[in-house]
């Protein structure tokens, strides 16, 4: 990354991340994220035996997603360094209560269930941004691409485990069992937060209201890139069954292909973190999202199973890298005090992008072909990509902490839980 385009820059791979503080962080993050991966499908299983159960389950899942968007946008910017552990614990605790209440009141009025689902999404919505900020502010600069890649691998693995866990719990135990497990996990994460050895430094520049809004605006091209990527992801996921049917492929393979795509995303995140790549993170992200758009076009025009499989595989590889570059771009362009707010805004805008892609798919698939639907989505995504690219070109280069040819001061290995005699010099990626 940065200005280096040479070969592998991290020969040690991910071994330097295997330290006690980062392992504790990974355990807390997994425990906090698994309820989110569980929730959408758990909503469907919770009410599927009721009249109109599948529609109601989808409605509850949508309410949960809307809660995530609103909660992330409102609560994330209000995280404060000195109170972050308590704030995150309260949010996760509130989510645990909402998960448990949904399981108890599964026969209640749909409006009450939707309100509980929205609360379950909103209350812990700031935790990914807060935990990511705690992570990236406590590691040396040269390790940030790798820790963010590792976080992405963890996220995709959790997303793959969640639905399988829901199916097992709901079918072998009870329809409300996944929600009870989600409540237990959220409560455990809230308690485990105090074991984290990480804090981010307080900054007197932390503000609320319009001043904070101005603080998060410099990363807006990264927000648009995230929305474009999620539009493409939603379209490829939701239009896949119709596309498979159109080309005569077995629809029963859809789930397997999406799981395969998630597996390639984990691989892509790992590959991205193993070396430095040309250009800054924002430009890397734009290239990767354009690559994803090309994959969607290939799947739409290929009209054969082999083309769809190849396109989904490559798109999975590229999507993970695009996600890491967005996190890096926000980390590079915002002040430390605005990081949690920036990550929250990025997540909310990405979720809006997914909702836009889903709405576009739902509106068009009933009246036109999946090929035309996918191509229309690609056109919308490319408009956002172009706006982000133009904004990036007009923006002045960010002030660096040190000159490109100047060595950054040595960072003690204690920041990662290691010994001081293993410290290194490095350049900011």
């Amino acid at each position: 990354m940065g200005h280096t385009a040479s070969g592998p820059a991290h020969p040690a791979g991910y071994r330097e991340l295997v330290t006690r503080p980062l392992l504790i962080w990974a355990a807390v993050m997994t425990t906090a994220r698994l309820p989110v991966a569980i929730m959408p499908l758990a909503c469907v299983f919770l009410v599927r035996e009721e009249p109109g159960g599948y529609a109601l389950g989808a409605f509850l899942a949508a309410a949960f997603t809307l809660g995530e968007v609103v909660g992330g946008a409102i609560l994330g910017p209000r995280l404060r360094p000195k109170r972050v552990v308590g704030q995150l614990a309260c949010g996760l605790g509130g989510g645990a209560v909402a998960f448990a209440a949904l399981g108890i009141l599964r026969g209640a009025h749909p409006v009450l269930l939707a309100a509980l689902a929205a609360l379950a999404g909103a209350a812990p919505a700031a935790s990914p941004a807060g935990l990511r900020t705690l992570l990236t502010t406590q590691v040396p600069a040269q390790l940030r691409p790798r820790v963010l890649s590792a976080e992405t691998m963890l996220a995709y693995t959790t997303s793959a485990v969640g639905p399988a866990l829901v199916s097992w719990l709901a079918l072998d135990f009870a329809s409300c069992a996944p929600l009870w497990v989600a409540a237990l996990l959220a409560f455990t994460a809230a308690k485990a937060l105090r074991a984290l050895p990480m804090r981010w430094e307080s900054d007197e520049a932390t503000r609320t209201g319009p001043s904070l809004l101005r603080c998060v605006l410099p990363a807006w091209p990264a927000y648009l890139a995230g929305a474009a990527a999620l539009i493409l992801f939603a379209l490829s996921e939701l239009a896949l069954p119709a596309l498979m049917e159109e080309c005569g492929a077995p629809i029963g393979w859809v789930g397997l292909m999406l799981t395969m795509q998630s597996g390639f995303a984990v691989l892509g995140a790992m590959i991205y973190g193993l070396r430095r790549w040309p250009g800054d993170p924002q430009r890397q992200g734009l290239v990767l999202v354009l690559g994803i758009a090309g994959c969607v076009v290939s799947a739409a025009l290929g009209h054969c199973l082999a083309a769809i499989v190849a396109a989904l595989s490559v798109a999975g590889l590229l999507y993970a890298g695009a996600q890491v570059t967005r996190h890096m771009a926000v980390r590079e362009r915002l002040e430390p005090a605005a990081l949690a707010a920036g990550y929250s805004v990025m997540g909310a805008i990405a979720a809006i992008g997914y909702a836009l892609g889903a709405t576009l798919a739902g509106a068009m698939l009933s009246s036109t072909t999946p090929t035309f639907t996918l191509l229309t989505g690609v056109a919308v995504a490319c408009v956002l990509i172009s706006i982000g690219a133009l904004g990036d070109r007009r923006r002045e280069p960010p002030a660096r902490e040190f000159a490109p040819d100047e060595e950054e001061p040595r960072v003690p290995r204690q920041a990662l839980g290691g010994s001081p005699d293993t410290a290194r010099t490095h350049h900011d990626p």
Side-chain angles (χ1 to χ4, degrees):
M1 263 187 321
H3 302 279
T4 304
S6 58
H10 307 300
Y14 289 88
R15 288 196 301 271
E16 290 181 78
L17 305 186
V18 185
T19 63
R20 186 174 181 274
L22 295 186
L23 290 176
I24 293 174
W25 179 91
V28 174
M29 178 62 95
T30 302
T31 311
R33 271 188 168 165
L34 196 51
V36 177
I38 285 174
M39 185 61 179
L41 190 57
C43 289
V44 175
F45 275 100
L46 180 70
V47 296
R48 71 188 180 96
E49 296 180 357
E50 303 291 331
Y54 287 110
L56 177 58
F59 174 65
L60 296 181
F64 174 77
T65 303
L66 179 62
E68 283 189 292
V69 173
V70 175
I74 294 176
L75 300 178
R78 285 166 172 75
L79 291 177
R80 293 294 176 265
K82 293 181 179 179
R83 306 196 303 269
V84 64
V85 171
Q87 289 175 311
L88 296 182
C90 287
L92 288 165
V97 171
F99 288 128
L102 265 176
I104 295 171
L105 303 174
R106 59 183 181 276
H109 193 278
V111 174
L112 176 58
L113 294 179
L116 289 172
L119 176 61
S127 59
L131 289 169
R132 185 179 302 121
T133 304
L134 289 172
L135 175 69
T136 58
T137 55
Q138 296 297 320
V139 297
Q142 96 277 13
L143 287 185
R144 286 177 196 142
R146 265 182 290 172
V147 295
L148 288 171
S149 296
E151 185 213 8
T152 302
M153 288 188 279
L154 187 66
Y156 278 107
T157 302
T158 304
S159 298
V161 169
L165 183 61
V166 170
S167 300
W168 173 61
L169 290 170
L171 296 177
D172 288 6
F173 294 94
S175 61
C176 60
L179 289 166
W180 284 103
V181 171
L184 178 62
L185 288 168
F187 178 77
T188 302
K191 297 292 289 184
L193 279 169
R194 301 194 180 278
L196 284 175
M198 300 177 179
R199 303 287 184 273
W200 77 75
E201 293 182 2
S202 179
D203 191 324
E204 294 301 325
T206 303
R207 301 180 180 91
T208 58
S211 297
L212 182 59
L213 178 62
R214 285 196 295 269
C215 287
V216 301
L217 280 180
W220 70 265
Y223 307 151
L224 282 187
L230 265 293
I231 288 173
L232 296 171
F233 187 82
L235 279 167
S236 61
E237 183 178 43
L238 299 175
L240 182 59
L243 186 65
M244 299 265 293
E245 188 176 49
E246 185 182 59
C247 69
I251 297 181
W253 290 7
V254 169
L256 178 62
M257 293 174 68
L258 292 175
T259 301
M260 174 201 69
Q261 186 183 42
S262 295
F264 274 97
V266 173
L267 179 62
M270 182 182 69
I271 292 172
Y272 180 86
L274 285 175
R275 56 162 293 163
R276 291 179 177 175
W277 302 91
D280 62 60
Q282 178 63 25
R283 289 178 175 82
Q284 291 173 13
L286 290 173
V287 170
L288 290 169
V289 176
L290 284 173
I292 297 169
C295 291
V296 175
V297 171
S298 299
L301 300 179
H303 291 292
C304 69
L305 181 61
I308 297 173
V309 170
L312 287 179
S313 301
V314 177
L317 284 170
L318 298 180
Y319 183 77
Q323 184 172 341
V324 178
T325 57
R326 292 199 301 275
H327 296 160
M328 289 294 297
V330 171
R331 177 69 181 79
E332 180 185 85
R333 292 171 186 226
L334 300 185
E335 296 295 329
L339 278 179
Y343 287 138
S344 296
V345 170
M346 181 178 67
I349 293 177
I352 292 172
Y354 186 93
L356 178 60
T359 302
L360 187 64
M364 296 190 65
L365 284 174
S366 60
S367 58
T368 186
T369 65
T371 297
F372 187 74
T373 299
L374 289 172
L375 294 178
T376 303
V378 169
V380 173
C382 285
V383 170
L384 296 181
I385 295 168
S386 301
I387 294 172
L390 289 174
D392 189 56
R393 285 177 62 87
R394 290 169 180 250
R395 177 184 165 277
E396 293 183 3
R400 298 177 60 90
E401 296 177 4
F402 46 88
D405 57 349
E406 177 186 351
E407 282 196 340
E408 184 181 351
R410 292 179 178 268
V411 178
R413 177 83 168 140
Q414 291 98 317
L416 296 177
S419 57
D421 57 331
T422 55
R424 296 174 172 222
T425 54
H426 54 275
H427 287 80
D428 194 4

